[in-house]
Amino acid sequence: MKALVLSSLSGPDALHIQNSSDPAPKPGQTLVNVKAGGLNFADLMTTRGGYPGAPPPPLVVGREFSGVEENSRKRVMGYTQWGAFAEKTAAYSQMLWPVPDHWSDEQAAAFPVNYFTAYLGYWQAGMTQPPAAGLSHRVLIHAVAGGVGTAAVQIGKLLGVEMYGTSSSDEKLSRVKGLGLQHGINYKREDYEEAIKNLTRGEGVDAVFEMLGGDHTAKSLRCLRDFGRVIQYGTATGKSPKLDIRAMYAKSGIVQGLWLTYLSQKTEIMQPAWQQLSGWIAQKKLTPQIGHVFPFDKAVDGYKLLEDGKNYGKVVLTIP
């Protein structure tokens, strides 16, 4: 079979389509003929050795996909750790979900990582339940025009959350406002910490969805309301998160990690999440946002687009 293989930890240019052996399913796994793959920052980090637990090269890359299950011939979308960007992949049955009839293969490949991450972020922040009487939930979503960001806006709208989002482009912010974002912040024109202070009259937000790392974790802490929490689900800057301990004390704030790799192993968490998400899908209230689709032989271009931060929504690869 054809597969996208990482030959060294030197970045996207170390990716090449090669002939590879068909995957051998482990107990509990099933084979899927892959049609499309969803690209994530974790995939980009993997090319430079920045993703924890990744096997050494040579490695068949990719963690999110859609396709046809060989045994049942049903259309499925799924999540795995490695090996998704190939003509075939082996995935655990509990990590496969049916593709809605009204979704394309590309839309299905854009679902698992983005929507489970966004929904579990709200769940960890306590926002899947109504707030106390007279209050409203507020969230700051970094990279709001990206894959997780656009998913978080759609889910936040359904949950009745007041949403603030950062992006580098007014054009991107305009598109996300069409999904339900109330407050857009162009971080190239204004400091988002000051913007949050002004927009919330000094109160802050209940949660920040943070995937940048470095100093942004400390800044996000300073954006919180009392007893708020920063949901840290990535480090796109490549820098370890820094804390502002004084802000944590002052706000009784929390920094809480969210790692889908870990949570995805817990059926008691994933099944209720899927039950809610699938209900919204059936009502056609969730639509994966796809900004760019690349053919398999142009996969490196997709990685580089993500690396340059020029994407809107999801970057998807089509696999013939």
Side-chain angles (χ1 to χ4, degrees):
M1 69 172 187
K2 299 291 185 182
L4 188 63
V5 178
L6 180 69
S7 58
S8 66
L9 301 178
S10 56
D13 285 324
L15 293 165
H16 305 280
I17 295 176
Q18 300 178 8
N19 290 317
S20 181
S21 301
D22 286 4
K26 299 176 182 178
Q29 288 187 326
T30 183
L31 279 177
V32 175
N33 294 314
V34 179
K35 300 296 184 182
L39 202 52
N40 298 282
F41 268 105
D43 297 305
L44 182 61
M45 293 171 65
T46 298
T47 68
R48 300 191 184 279
Y51 195 80
L59 170 68
V60 178
V61 295
R63 64 192 63 242
E64 185 179 30
F65 60 91
S66 66
V68 177
E69 187 178 22
E70 283 199 352
N71 290 338
S72 68
R73 305 309 301 169
K74 293 180 179 178
R75 296 177 70 214
V76 293
M77 51 191 177
Y79 175 69
T80 185
Q81 282 306 293
W82 325 110
F85 296 166
E87 291 178 327
K88 293 184 179 184
T89 191
Y92 286 100
S93 299
Q94 71 269 23
M95 298 305 295
L96 293 174
W97 301 276
V99 176
D101 291 337
H102 61 285
W103 278 7
S104 66
D105 293 328
E106 291 78 13
Q107 286 175 308
F111 173 81
V113 170
N114 290 349
Y115 285 83
F116 277 110
T117 298
Y119 180 80
L120 292 173
Y122 284 115
W123 174 71
Q124 288 189 175
M127 294 184 181
T128 55
Q129 300 298 322
L135 298 177
S136 62
H137 290 315
R138 291 176 181 163
V139 65
L140 169 61
I141 304 166
H142 287 308
V144 73
V148 174
T150 52
V153 169
Q154 292 180 59
I155 294 172
K157 180 180 179 180
L158 294 170
L159 294 173
V161 177
E162 185 175 358
M163 296 173 288
Y164 303 76
T166 66
S167 179
S168 62
S169 158
D170 288 341
E171 188 271 335
K172 288 182 181 180
L173 288 171
S174 177
R175 294 180 71 176
V176 186
K177 284 184 177 180
L179 298 176
L181 178 70
Q182 296 99 329
H183 310 282
I185 302 169
N186 186 329
Y187 66 80
K188 289 195 172 182
R189 287 211 316 266
E190 58 181 329
D191 180 89
Y192 64 79
E193 183 182 343
E194 288 299 315
I196 289 295
K197 185 183 298 184
N198 294 333
L199 288 167
T200 65
R201 299 169 298 282
E203 293 181 5
V205 297
D206 299 290
V208 182
F209 290 177
E210 214 295 90
M211 43 68 70
L212 300 167
D215 292 331
H216 293 285
T217 304
K219 284 174 67 70
S220 295
L221 273 164
R222 296 193 292 271
C223 292
L224 291 178
R225 260 178 175 169
D226 292 347
F227 307 105
R229 64 187 64 203
V230 174
I231 306 296
Q232 190 81 41
Y233 70 94
T235 52
T237 62
K239 299 177 181 179
S240 297
K242 294 184 179 180
L243 301 181
D244 184 335
I245 301 299
R246 185 174 180 179
M248 291 181 71
Y249 287 159
K251 302 290 185 70
S252 294
I254 298 170
V255 176
Q256 183 169 350
L258 193 168
W259 192 23
L260 190 60
T261 296
Y262 174 73
L263 295 179
S264 65
Q265 308 304 312
K266 297 184 175 294
T267 55
E268 70 273 19
I269 292 175
M270 296 296 286
Q271 284 182 350
W274 170 245
Q275 185 176 6
Q276 178 62 85
L277 290 169
S278 62
W280 285 330
I281 291 171
Q283 297 168 22
K284 298 186 178 180
K285 292 181 177 180
L286 297 179
T287 303
Q289 300 296 295
I290 298 173
H292 302 271
V293 178
F294 290 88
F296 203 28
D297 59 356
K298 298 293 184 182
V300 172
D301 293 339
Y303 274 76
K304 290 183 175 180
L305 182 78
L306 196 64
E307 187 174 41
D308 292 340
K310 295 180 179 179
N311 62 297
Y312 168 81
K314 194 73 168 187
V315 178
V316 174
L317 308 177
T318 55
I319 301 173

